[in-house]
Amino acid sequence: MTYRQKEHLYPLVIILRDLINYRKGVINMEIELIMIKIEGKEVIISFDILLLGYNEAVLRMPWL
């Protein structure tokens, strides 16, 4: 999976909406569009990501 720099950055927050300073506190990467299949339906989607280290990342759907 490849990723790229986001055009529109936004603050990194936990589920309770508290700000986090990790990696300057900003979501700044996204994966390229991918097709996934959920319950027989195909969806094209991109996820915002925060790289955590070797092969680890946090994913978020941009509209959530």
Side-chain angles (χ1 to χ4, degrees):
M1 199 175 319
T2 59
Y3 56 91
R4 62 179 175 237
Q5 184 72 32
K6 287 187 62 59
E7 288 185 29
H8 304 287
L9 309 180
Y10 59 89
L12 172 62
V13 295
I14 61 172
I15 200 164
L16 298 174
R17 304 277 184 211
D18 295 331
L19 293 173
I20 299 175
N21 275 339
Y22 183 79
R23 299 256 175 153
K24 299 182 183 176
V26 175
I27 298 290
N28 62 356
M29 304 297 284
E30 63 188 358
I31 64 169
E32 294 182 3
L33 291 173
I34 59 170
M35 183 177 57
I36 59 174
K37 197 171 195 176
I38 301 173
E39 294 183 357
K41 296 181 181 180
E42 293 179 348
V43 178
I44 297 175
I45 191 168
S46 174
F47 289 95
D48 295 344
I49 62 171
L50 172 65
L51 301 176
L52 298 177
Y54 184 74
N55 291 332
E56 294 182 23
V58 173
L59 301 176
R60 175 185 180 267
M61 286 185 261
W63 63 81
L64 295 179

